[in-house]
Amino acid sequence: MSQVEVLKELFESKKNDQLLMDIYLDEGKIDYQRKRYVEALNKYKELYGEDDVEIYSAPGRSEIGGNHTDHQNGEVLAASINLDAIAIVKPLSENIVKVVSDDYPMITIDLSDLELKKEEAETTTALIKGVLAGFAERGYNIGGFQTYVTSDVLIGAGLSSSAAFETLIGTILSGLYNDMKISAVEIAIIGQYAENVYFGKPCGLMDQMACSVGNLVHIDFADKKNPVIEGVCCDLGKYGYSLCITDTKGSHADLTADYAAVPAEMKAVAALLGKEVLHGTTMEDLYEKAADIRAQVGDRGFLRALHFVNENLRVQGEVQALKEENFEEFLDVVKASGNSSYKYLQNVYTNHDVQSQNVSIALAVSETVLGKDGVCRVHGGGFAGTIQAFVKDEAVERYQNAMNRIFGAGSCNVLKIRKYGGMKVM
């Protein structure tokens, strides 16, 4: 019996259920995960044959605190979640990498040709090559492998499906060719390099760091080239809460100007204070220059700067509350972050279309349905897309039904904060 068949038997016979529970933390989804791994092994066998294989995983992420702070060298708190990309992998003696991701065509990469090519920008090929090149440039070992990848990280929901994929490729290379000794932080930095340089998207480091490190990660971007990174532990199950992400189905079309205006206005305020970005700004600084800011940047710029200053403090408050195991205080700060995003950052809906307020509706319904059973906030960039809610376990079904009724079946996803980042499953 091949190892593929042996692994299938372990999953089908439920002998790996404890392992799956340790990774995914949700007893209600173990049957789904068991079948998912078996299907992935079957797909690998269909593509490549009956090989000795290894299995790797990398999670998506959710921003918990620090809404629109990273571009001003601020602080963020983000968490890995129990949605992930998994890979069935075999090392190859040939210097080629073969990747099939879900139902997409096979991508084949020659390790002797990792040169940056403009025509490959914004493709999966670019992400894979970027990670391979990043490893090689840092002196790490690389080599050939063939893999089937499948992901249940929701695309377009602000959960960082691309960062999960980059982390997965980096973790595979660490496992196959570097004795699993490359740090999660280094894998995240290489993932960001792949996305910035090869893929062509100027993302920050938050996404990759949360996916790679696991659990909660507190990042201080005061020195963007050398961010301070701190792991923070949080077991939602211990407190009887779940993390819910609702896709409000709002359109992201024509929102580029809205997204761009947030950092632009913050930087305009910073310039009036003699800075490049708002890092290090205090409320006293804003008060002192309030008249100039309002006259030259506008009132919204002042409010957005105010949000930034206090949001950094809220991130610190969230971290401290979790360290002290004061979950009620943590929830209070999460709620305050959401209120500030709505009132001061003003990224819940666009002023260009005030009749389309999917996120506003989601927040209003959440507060009404939950009452004292949870808190909610806008998730990620805002204006459209998703909201986040921490919900008491006994209220999850009621909350999920309400959100699905408003935004459609499957809109509300119930998640757990996963304790592992990129990992070798077996």
Side-chain angles (χ1 to χ4, degrees), residues 172-207:
I172 290 169
L173 290 171
S174 179
L176 293 183
Y177 295 108
N178 296 275
D179 299 320
M180 210 65 188
K181 292 181 178 178
I182 300 179
S183 73
V185 170
E186 188 78 357
I187 290 172
I189 291 170
I190 292 171
Q192 182 198 24
Y193 167 80
E195 192 150 348
N196 288 174
V197 177
Y198 276 71
F199 189 82
K201 179 182 177 182
C203 69
L205 188 57
M206 176 180 71
D207 296 351

PDB file of all heavy atoms in Angstrom, residues 172-207:
ATOM      1  N   ILE A 172       6.593  24.653   2.784  1.00  0.00           N
ATOM      2  CA  ILE A 172       6.991  23.454   2.039  1.00  0.00           C
ATOM      3  C   ILE A 172       8.507  23.445   1.825  1.00  0.00           C
ATOM      4  O   ILE A 172       9.182  22.438   2.071  1.00  0.00           O
ATOM      5  CB  ILE A 172       6.256  23.372   0.690  1.00  0.00           C
ATOM      6  CG1 ILE A 172       4.775  23.059   0.902  1.00  0.00           C
ATOM      7  CG2 ILE A 172       6.896  22.327  -0.224  1.00  0.00           C
ATOM      8  CD1 ILE A 172       3.924  23.209  -0.348  1.00  0.00           C
ATOM      9  N   LEU A 173       9.055  24.573   1.374  1.00  0.00           N
ATOM     10  CA  LEU A 173      10.498  24.652   1.139  1.00  0.00           C
ATOM     11  C   LEU A 173      11.281  24.487   2.436  1.00  0.00           C
ATOM     12  O   LEU A 173      12.351  23.867   2.456  1.00  0.00           O
ATOM     13  CB  LEU A 173      10.840  25.982   0.478  1.00  0.00           C
ATOM     14  CG  LEU A 173      10.375  26.153  -0.977  1.00  0.00           C
ATOM     15  CD1 LEU A 173      10.578  27.585  -1.439  1.00  0.00           C
ATOM     16  CD2 LEU A 173      11.116  25.179  -1.888  1.00  0.00           C
ATOM     17  N   SER A 174      10.769  25.045   3.516  1.00  0.00           N
ATOM     18  CA  SER A 174      11.424  24.879   4.812  1.00  0.00           C
ATOM     19  C   SER A 174      11.431  23.412   5.214  1.00  0.00           C
ATOM     20  O   SER A 174      12.449  22.886   5.704  1.00  0.00           O
ATOM     21  CB  SER A 174      10.703  25.723   5.871  1.00  0.00           C
ATOM     22  OG  SER A 174      11.306  25.565   7.138  1.00  0.00           O
ATOM     23  N   GLY A 175      10.312  22.732   5.003  1.00  0.00           N
ATOM     24  CA  GLY A 175      10.199  21.342   5.403  1.00  0.00           C
ATOM     25  C   GLY A 175      10.985  20.378   4.532  1.00  0.00           C
ATOM     26  O   GLY A 175      11.678  19.492   5.038  1.00  0.00           O
ATOM     27  N   LEU A 176      10.897  20.552   3.220  1.00  0.00           N
ATOM     28  CA  LEU A 176      11.531  19.614   2.301  1.00  0.00           C
ATOM     29  C   LEU A 176      13.040  19.775   2.248  1.00  0.00           C
ATOM     30  O   LEU A 176      13.779  18.781   2.132  1.00  0.00           O
ATOM     31  CB  LEU A 176      10.961  19.781   0.888  1.00  0.00           C
ATOM     32  CG  LEU A 176       9.496  19.411   0.644  1.00  0.00           C
ATOM     33  CD1 LEU A 176       9.158  19.583  -0.834  1.00  0.00           C
ATOM     34  CD2 LEU A 176       9.200  17.987   1.099  1.00  0.00           C
ATOM     35  N   TYR A 177      13.521  21.014   2.335  1.00  0.00           N
ATOM     36  CA  TYR A 177      14.941  21.262   2.024  1.00  0.00           C
ATOM     37  C   TYR A 177      15.716  22.018   3.111  1.00  0.00           C
ATOM     38  O   TYR A 177      16.914  22.253   2.947  1.00  0.00           O
ATOM     39  CB  TYR A 177      15.043  22.018   0.701  1.00  0.00           C
ATOM     40  CG  TYR A 177      14.562  21.199  -0.462  1.00  0.00           C
ATOM     41  CD1 TYR A 177      13.360  21.494  -1.106  1.00  0.00           C
ATOM     42  CD2 TYR A 177      15.269  20.077  -0.885  1.00  0.00           C
ATOM     43  CE1 TYR A 177      12.900  20.711  -2.166  1.00  0.00           C
ATOM     44  CE2 TYR A 177      14.820  19.292  -1.936  1.00  0.00           C
ATOM     45  CZ  TYR A 177      13.636  19.612  -2.574  1.00  0.00           C
ATOM     46  OH  TYR A 177      13.191  18.835  -3.618  1.00  0.00           O
ATOM     47  N   ASN A 178      15.049  22.398   4.197  1.00  0.00           N
ATOM     48  CA  ASN A 178      15.757  23.152   5.233  1.00  0.00           C
ATOM     49  C   ASN A 178      15.433  22.650   6.640  1.00  0.00           C
ATOM     50  O   ASN A 178      15.536  23.400   7.618  1.00  0.00           O
ATOM     51  CB  ASN A 178      15.408  24.637   5.115  1.00  0.00           C
ATOM     52  CG  ASN A 178      15.888  25.244   3.803  1.00  0.00           C
ATOM     53  OD1 ASN A 178      17.037  25.658   3.681  1.00  0.00           O
ATOM     54  ND2 ASN A 178      15.006  25.282   2.809  1.00  0.00           N
ATOM     55  N   ASP A 179      15.075  21.376   6.742  1.00  0.00           N
ATOM     56  CA  ASP A 179      14.835  20.718   8.030  1.00  0.00           C
ATOM     57  C   ASP A 179      13.826  21.463   8.898  1.00  0.00           C
ATOM     58  O   ASP A 179      13.888  21.421  10.123  1.00  0.00           O
ATOM     59  CB  ASP A 179      16.150  20.556   8.807  1.00  0.00           C
ATOM     60  CG  ASP A 179      17.171  19.690   8.065  1.00  0.00           C
ATOM     61  OD1 ASP A 179      16.745  18.684   7.470  1.00  0.00           O
ATOM     62  OD2 ASP A 179      18.361  20.044   8.066  1.00  0.00           O
ATOM     63  N   MET A 180      12.916  22.181   8.265  1.00  0.00           N
ATOM     64  CA  MET A 180      11.863  22.921   8.969  1.00  0.00           C
ATOM     65  C   MET A 180      12.453  23.950   9.950  1.00  0.00           C
ATOM     66  O   MET A 180      11.842  24.300  10.956  1.00  0.00           O
ATOM     67  CB  MET A 180      10.939  21.949   9.711  1.00  0.00           C
ATOM     68  CG  MET A 180       9.499  22.419   9.856  1.00  0.00           C
ATOM     69  SD  MET A 180       8.655  22.562   8.267  1.00  0.00           S
ATOM     70  CE  MET A 180       7.133  23.356   8.749  1.00  0.00           C
ATOM     71  N   LYS A 181      13.644  24.484   9.624  1.00  0.00           N
ATOM     72  CA  LYS A 181      14.347  25.378  10.541  1.00  0.00           C
ATOM     73  C   LYS A 181      14.213  26.853  10.199  1.00  0.00           C
ATOM     74  O   LYS A 181      14.714  27.706  10.928  1.00  0.00           O
ATOM     75  CB  LYS A 181      15.828  24.992  10.602  1.00  0.00           C
ATOM     76  CG  LYS A 181      16.084  23.650  11.268  1.00  0.00           C
ATOM     77  CD  LYS A 181      17.558  23.331  11.329  1.00  0.00           C
ATOM     78  CE  LYS A 181      17.799  21.995  12.040  1.00  0.00           C
ATOM     79  NZ  LYS A 181      19.239  21.640  12.077  1.00  0.00           N
ATOM     80  N   ILE A 182      13.563  27.185   9.089  1.00  0.00           N
ATOM     81  CA  ILE A 182      13.406  28.597   8.740  1.00  0.00           C
ATOM     82  C   ILE A 182      12.271  29.177   9.573  1.00  0.00           C
ATOM     83  O   ILE A 182      11.169  28.619   9.621  1.00  0.00           O
ATOM     84  CB  ILE A 182      13.146  28.771   7.235  1.00  0.00           C
ATOM     85  CG1 ILE A 182      14.328  28.192   6.453  1.00  0.00           C
ATOM     86  CG2 ILE A 182      12.943  30.246   6.887  1.00  0.00           C
ATOM     87  CD1 ILE A 182      14.188  28.276   4.961  1.00  0.00           C
ATOM     88  N   SER A 183      12.534  30.290  10.212  1.00  0.00           N
ATOM     89  CA  SER A 183      11.553  30.848  11.147  1.00  0.00           C
ATOM     90  C   SER A 183      10.302  31.321  10.426  1.00  0.00           C
ATOM     91  O   SER A 183      10.333  31.682   9.239  1.00  0.00           O
ATOM     92  CB  SER A 183      12.167  32.014  11.920  1.00  0.00           C
ATOM     93  OG  SER A 183      12.300  33.156  11.089  1.00  0.00           O
ATOM     94  N   ALA A 184       9.209  31.333  11.169  1.00  0.00           N
ATOM     95  CA  ALA A 184       7.948  31.817  10.620  1.00  0.00           C
ATOM     96  C   ALA A 184       8.063  33.273  10.182  1.00  0.00           C
ATOM     97  O   ALA A 184       7.463  33.679   9.182  1.00  0.00           O
ATOM     98  CB  ALA A 184       6.835  31.654  11.653  1.00  0.00           C
ATOM     99  N   VAL A 185       8.825  34.059  10.936  1.00  0.00           N
ATOM    100  CA  VAL A 185       9.012  35.476  10.588  1.00  0.00           C
ATOM    101  C   VAL A 185       9.724  35.611   9.248  1.00  0.00           C
ATOM    102  O   VAL A 185       9.334  36.410   8.393  1.00  0.00           O
ATOM    103  CB  VAL A 185       9.792  36.204  11.700  1.00  0.00           C
ATOM    104  CG1 VAL A 185      10.217  37.599  11.242  1.00  0.00           C
ATOM    105  CG2 VAL A 185       8.958  36.294  12.971  1.00  0.00           C
ATOM    106  N   GLU A 186      10.777  34.814   9.037  1.00  0.00           N
ATOM    107  CA  GLU A 186      11.519  34.873   7.779  1.00  0.00           C
ATOM    108  C   GLU A 186      10.650  34.418   6.608  1.00  0.00           C
ATOM    109  O   GLU A 186      10.684  35.010   5.525  1.00  0.00           O
ATOM    110  CB  GLU A 186      12.770  33.998   7.872  1.00  0.00           C
ATOM    111  CG  GLU A 186      13.719  34.142   6.695  1.00  0.00           C
ATOM    112  CD  GLU A 186      14.579  35.384   6.750  1.00  0.00           C
ATOM    113  OE1 GLU A 186      14.411  36.192   7.676  1.00  0.00           O
ATOM    114  OE2 GLU A 186      15.425  35.553   5.860  1.00  0.00           O
ATOM    115  N   ILE A 187       9.840  33.388   6.814  1.00  0.00           N
ATOM    116  CA  ILE A 187       8.931  32.940   5.756  1.00  0.00           C
ATOM    117  C   ILE A 187       7.940  34.045   5.404  1.00  0.00           C
ATOM    118  O   ILE A 187       7.625  34.266   4.229  1.00  0.00           O
ATOM    119  CB  ILE A 187       8.200  31.652   6.188  1.00  0.00           C
ATOM    120  CG1 ILE A 187       9.190  30.475   6.218  1.00  0.00           C
ATOM    121  CG2 ILE A 187       7.033  31.335   5.254  1.00  0.00           C
ATOM    122  CD1 ILE A 187       8.617  29.193   6.812  1.00  0.00           C
ATOM    123  N   ALA A 188       7.449  34.775   6.414  1.00  0.00           N
ATOM    124  CA  ALA A 188       6.530  35.884   6.157  1.00  0.00           C
ATOM    125  C   ALA A 188       7.198  36.989   5.355  1.00  0.00           C
ATOM    126  O   ALA A 188       6.609  37.530   4.414  1.00  0.00           O
ATOM    127  CB  ALA A 188       6.018  36.444   7.485  1.00  0.00           C
ATOM    128  N   ILE A 189       8.425  37.323   5.704  1.00  0.00           N
ATOM    129  CA  ILE A 189       9.157  38.378   4.992  1.00  0.00           C
ATOM    130  C   ILE A 189       9.376  37.981   3.536  1.00  0.00           C
ATOM    131  O   ILE A 189       9.236  38.803   2.624  1.00  0.00           O
ATOM    132  CB  ILE A 189      10.492  38.670   5.708  1.00  0.00           C
ATOM    133  CG1 ILE A 189      10.218  39.346   7.055  1.00  0.00           C
ATOM    134  CG2 ILE A 189      11.398  39.545   4.848  1.00  0.00           C
ATOM    135  CD1 ILE A 189      11.439  39.454   7.949  1.00  0.00           C
ATOM    136  N   ILE A 190       9.693  36.713   3.314  1.00  0.00           N
ATOM    137  CA  ILE A 190       9.878  36.230   1.941  1.00  0.00           C
ATOM    138  C   ILE A 190       8.556  36.255   1.184  1.00  0.00           C
ATOM    139  O   ILE A 190       8.505  36.595   0.001  1.00  0.00           O
ATOM    140  CB  ILE A 190      10.491  34.817   1.954  1.00  0.00           C
ATOM    141  CG1 ILE A 190      11.928  34.874   2.476  1.00  0.00           C
ATOM    142  CG2 ILE A 190      10.464  34.193   0.551  1.00  0.00           C
ATOM    143  CD1 ILE A 190      12.553  33.513   2.743  1.00  0.00           C
ATOM    144  N   GLY A 191       7.447  35.913   1.861  1.00  0.00           N
ATOM    145  CA  GLY A 191       6.133  35.984   1.229  1.00  0.00           C
ATOM    146  C   GLY A 191       5.788  37.399   0.806  1.00  0.00           C
ATOM    147  O   GLY A 191       5.267  37.629  -0.293  1.00  0.00           O
ATOM    148  N   GLN A 192       6.080  38.365   1.676  1.00  0.00           N
ATOM    149  CA  GLN A 192       5.835  39.766   1.320  1.00  0.00           C
ATOM    150  C   GLN A 192       6.696  40.168   0.126  1.00  0.00           C
ATOM    151  O   GLN A 192       6.234  40.871  -0.790  1.00  0.00           O
ATOM    152  CB  GLN A 192       6.136  40.678   2.502  1.00  0.00           C
ATOM    153  CG  GLN A 192       5.842  42.151   2.201  1.00  0.00           C
ATOM    154  CD  GLN A 192       6.523  43.097   3.169  1.00  0.00           C
ATOM    155  OE1 GLN A 192       7.539  42.759   3.777  1.00  0.00           O
ATOM    156  NE2 GLN A 192       5.969  44.286   3.318  1.00  0.00           N
ATOM    157  N   TYR A 193       7.936  39.725   0.107  1.00  0.00           N
ATOM    158  CA  TYR A 193       8.834  40.009  -1.026  1.00  0.00           C
ATOM    159  C   TYR A 193       8.242  39.463  -2.326  1.00  0.00           C
ATOM    160  O   TYR A 193       8.219  40.148  -3.351  1.00  0.00           O
ATOM    161  CB  TYR A 193      10.197  39.369  -0.756  1.00  0.00           C
ATOM    162  CG  TYR A 193      11.117  39.316  -1.949  1.00  0.00           C
ATOM    163  CD1 TYR A 193      11.843  40.431  -2.346  1.00  0.00           C
ATOM    164  CD2 TYR A 193      11.268  38.140  -2.684  1.00  0.00           C
ATOM    165  CE1 TYR A 193      12.691  40.376  -3.445  1.00  0.00           C
ATOM    166  CE2 TYR A 193      12.111  38.066  -3.777  1.00  0.00           C
ATOM    167  CZ  TYR A 193      12.823  39.190  -4.159  1.00  0.00           C
ATOM    168  OH  TYR A 193      13.644  39.149  -5.248  1.00  0.00           O
ATOM    169  N   ALA A 194       7.721  38.239  -2.276  1.00  0.00           N
ATOM    170  CA  ALA A 194       7.119  37.638  -3.470  1.00  0.00           C
ATOM    171  C   ALA A 194       5.950  38.473  -3.965  1.00  0.00           C
ATOM    172  O   ALA A 194       5.798  38.704  -5.177  1.00  0.00           O
ATOM    173  CB  ALA A 194       6.672  36.207  -3.174  1.00  0.00           C
ATOM    174  N   GLU A 195       5.123  38.931  -3.034  1.00  0.00           N
ATOM    175  CA  GLU A 195       3.931  39.686  -3.434  1.00  0.00           C
ATOM    176  C   GLU A 195       4.296  41.099  -3.905  1.00  0.00           C
ATOM    177  O   GLU A 195       3.732  41.604  -4.871  1.00  0.00           O
ATOM    178  CB  GLU A 195       2.935  39.749  -2.283  1.00  0.00           C
ATOM    179  CG  GLU A 195       1.569  40.247  -2.709  1.00  0.00           C
ATOM    180  CD  GLU A 195       0.428  39.691  -1.885  1.00  0.00           C
ATOM    181  OE1 GLU A 195       0.646  38.740  -1.109  1.00  0.00           O
ATOM    182  OE2 GLU A 195      -0.689  40.200  -2.026  1.00  0.00           O
ATOM    183  N   ASN A 196       5.249  41.732  -3.229  1.00  0.00           N
ATOM    184  CA  ASN A 196       5.652  43.092  -3.606  1.00  0.00           C
ATOM    185  C   ASN A 196       6.396  43.121  -4.931  1.00  0.00           C
ATOM    186  O   ASN A 196       6.050  43.891  -5.837  1.00  0.00           O
ATOM    187  CB  ASN A 196       6.561  43.705  -2.534  1.00  0.00           C
ATOM    188  CG  ASN A 196       5.846  44.068  -1.254  1.00  0.00           C
ATOM    189  OD1 ASN A 196       6.467  44.461  -0.281  1.00  0.00           O
ATOM    190  ND2 ASN A 196       4.530  43.929  -1.211  1.00  0.00           N
ATOM    191  N   VAL A 197       7.410  42.283  -5.046  1.00  0.00           N
ATOM    192  CA  VAL A 197       8.349  42.371  -6.164  1.00  0.00           C
ATOM    193  C   VAL A 197       7.878  41.554  -7.367  1.00  0.00           C
ATOM    194  O   VAL A 197       7.863  42.044  -8.502  1.00  0.00           O
ATOM    195  CB  VAL A 197       9.757  41.924  -5.727  1.00  0.00           C
ATOM    196  CG1 VAL A 197      10.721  41.952  -6.915  1.00  0.00           C
ATOM    197  CG2 VAL A 197      10.268  42.822  -4.600  1.00  0.00           C
ATOM    198  N   TYR A 198       7.513  40.298  -7.163  1.00  0.00           N
ATOM    199  CA  TYR A 198       7.166  39.424  -8.289  1.00  0.00           C
ATOM    200  C   TYR A 198       5.704  39.580  -8.713  1.00  0.00           C
ATOM    201  O   TYR A 198       5.406  39.650  -9.907  1.00  0.00           O
ATOM    202  CB  TYR A 198       7.469  37.968  -7.937  1.00  0.00           C
ATOM    203  CG  TYR A 198       8.914  37.593  -8.189  1.00  0.00           C
ATOM    204  CD1 TYR A 198       9.925  38.090  -7.380  1.00  0.00           C
ATOM    205  CD2 TYR A 198       9.275  36.763  -9.247  1.00  0.00           C
ATOM    206  CE1 TYR A 198      11.256  37.763  -7.611  1.00  0.00           C
ATOM    207  CE2 TYR A 198      10.591  36.418  -9.496  1.00  0.00           C
ATOM    208  CZ  TYR A 198      11.585  36.930  -8.670  1.00  0.00           C
ATOM    209  OH  TYR A 198      12.901  36.621  -8.902  1.00  0.00           O
ATOM    210  N   PHE A 199       4.796  39.592  -7.736  1.00  0.00           N
ATOM    211  CA  PHE A 199       3.377  39.717  -8.069  1.00  0.00           C
ATOM    212  C   PHE A 199       3.020  41.152  -8.431  1.00  0.00           C
ATOM    213  O   PHE A 199       2.148  41.404  -9.267  1.00  0.00           O
ATOM    214  CB  PHE A 199       2.533  39.243  -6.883  1.00  0.00           C
ATOM    215  CG  PHE A 199       1.064  39.119  -7.174  1.00  0.00           C
ATOM    216  CD1 PHE A 199       0.552  37.998  -7.800  1.00  0.00           C
ATOM    217  CD2 PHE A 199       0.180  40.137  -6.820  1.00  0.00           C
ATOM    218  CE1 PHE A 199      -0.807  37.869  -8.059  1.00  0.00           C
ATOM    219  CE2 PHE A 199      -1.185  40.027  -7.071  1.00  0.00           C
ATOM    220  CZ  PHE A 199      -1.676  38.890  -7.700  1.00  0.00           C
ATOM    221  N   GLY A 200       3.667  42.108  -7.766  1.00  0.00           N
ATOM    222  CA  GLY A 200       3.443  43.516  -8.086  1.00  0.00           C
ATOM    223  C   GLY A 200       2.396  44.211  -7.254  1.00  0.00           C
ATOM    224  O   GLY A 200       1.848  45.239  -7.645  1.00  0.00           O
ATOM    225  N   LYS A 201       2.117  43.678  -6.042  1.00  0.00           N
ATOM    226  CA  LYS A 201       1.149  44.320  -5.153  1.00  0.00           C
ATOM    227  C   LYS A 201       1.891  44.873  -3.942  1.00  0.00           C
ATOM    228  O   LYS A 201       2.545  44.129  -3.211  1.00  0.00           O
ATOM    229  CB  LYS A 201       0.095  43.312  -4.692  1.00  0.00           C
ATOM    230  CG  LYS A 201      -0.937  43.900  -3.729  1.00  0.00           C
ATOM    231  CD  LYS A 201      -1.929  42.835  -3.271  1.00  0.00           C
ATOM    232  CE  LYS A 201      -2.914  43.395  -2.249  1.00  0.00           C
ATOM    233  NZ  LYS A 201      -3.852  42.369  -1.765  1.00  0.00           N
ATOM    234  N   PRO A 202       1.784  46.181  -3.680  1.00  0.00           N
ATOM    235  CA  PRO A 202       2.544  46.803  -2.584  1.00  0.00           C
ATOM    236  C   PRO A 202       1.893  46.585  -1.220  1.00  0.00           C
ATOM    237  O   PRO A 202       1.497  47.525  -0.532  1.00  0.00           O
ATOM    238  CB  PRO A 202       2.549  48.284  -2.971  1.00  0.00           C
ATOM    239  CG  PRO A 202       1.265  48.476  -3.710  1.00  0.00           C
ATOM    240  CD  PRO A 202       1.039  47.191  -4.474  1.00  0.00           C
ATOM    241  N   CYS A 203       1.767  45.315  -0.799  1.00  0.00           N
ATOM    242  CA  CYS A 203       1.125  45.011   0.484  1.00  0.00           C
ATOM    243  C   CYS A 203       2.106  45.211   1.627  1.00  0.00           C
ATOM    244  O   CYS A 203       3.323  45.211   1.437  1.00  0.00           O
ATOM    245  CB  CYS A 203       0.620  43.568   0.484  1.00  0.00           C
ATOM    246  SG  CYS A 203       1.930  42.333   0.490  1.00  0.00           S
ATOM    247  N   GLY A 204       1.560  45.371   2.834  1.00  0.00           N
ATOM    248  CA  GLY A 204       2.391  45.423   4.019  1.00  0.00           C
ATOM    249  C   GLY A 204       2.735  44.022   4.477  1.00  0.00           C
ATOM    250  O   GLY A 204       2.526  43.042   3.754  1.00  0.00           O
ATOM    251  N   LEU A 205       3.240  43.908   5.704  1.00  0.00           N
ATOM    252  CA  LEU A 205       3.702  42.621   6.217  1.00  0.00           C
ATOM    253  C   LEU A 205       2.687  41.950   7.130  1.00  0.00           C
ATOM    254  O   LEU A 205       2.848  40.789   7.499  1.00  0.00           O
ATOM    255  CB  LEU A 205       5.027  42.835   6.973  1.00  0.00           C
ATOM    256  CG  LEU A 205       5.811  41.616   7.448  1.00  0.00           C
ATOM    257  CD1 LEU A 205       6.159  40.685   6.290  1.00  0.00           C
ATOM    258  CD2 LEU A 205       7.075  42.057   8.171  1.00  0.00           C
ATOM    259  N   MET A 206       1.613  42.649   7.479  1.00  0.00           N
ATOM    260  CA  MET A 206       0.663  42.107   8.442  1.00  0.00           C
ATOM    261  C   MET A 206       0.081  40.772   7.988  1.00  0.00           C
ATOM    262  O   MET A 206       0.016  39.810   8.759  1.00  0.00           O
ATOM    263  CB  MET A 206      -0.483  43.090   8.694  1.00  0.00           C
ATOM    264  CG  MET A 206      -1.557  42.531   9.626  1.00  0.00           C
ATOM    265  SD  MET A 206      -2.927  43.652   9.941  1.00  0.00           S
ATOM    266  CE  MET A 206      -3.760  43.629   8.349  1.00  0.00           C
ATOM    267  N   ASP A 207      -0.363  40.689   6.743  1.00  0.00           N
ATOM    268  CA  ASP A 207      -1.045  39.491   6.270  1.00  0.00           C
ATOM    269  C   ASP A 207      -0.148  38.262   6.369  1.00  0.00           C
ATOM    270  O   ASP A 207      -0.524  37.233   6.932  1.00  0.00           O
ATOM    271  CB  ASP A 207      -1.500  39.670   4.823  1.00  0.00           C
ATOM    272  CG  ASP A 207      -2.535  40.766   4.665  1.00  0.00           C
ATOM    273  OD1 ASP A 207      -3.024  41.268   5.698  1.00  0.00           O
ATOM    274  OD2 ASP A 207      -2.846  41.133   3.514  1.00  0.00           O
TER     275      ASP A 207
END
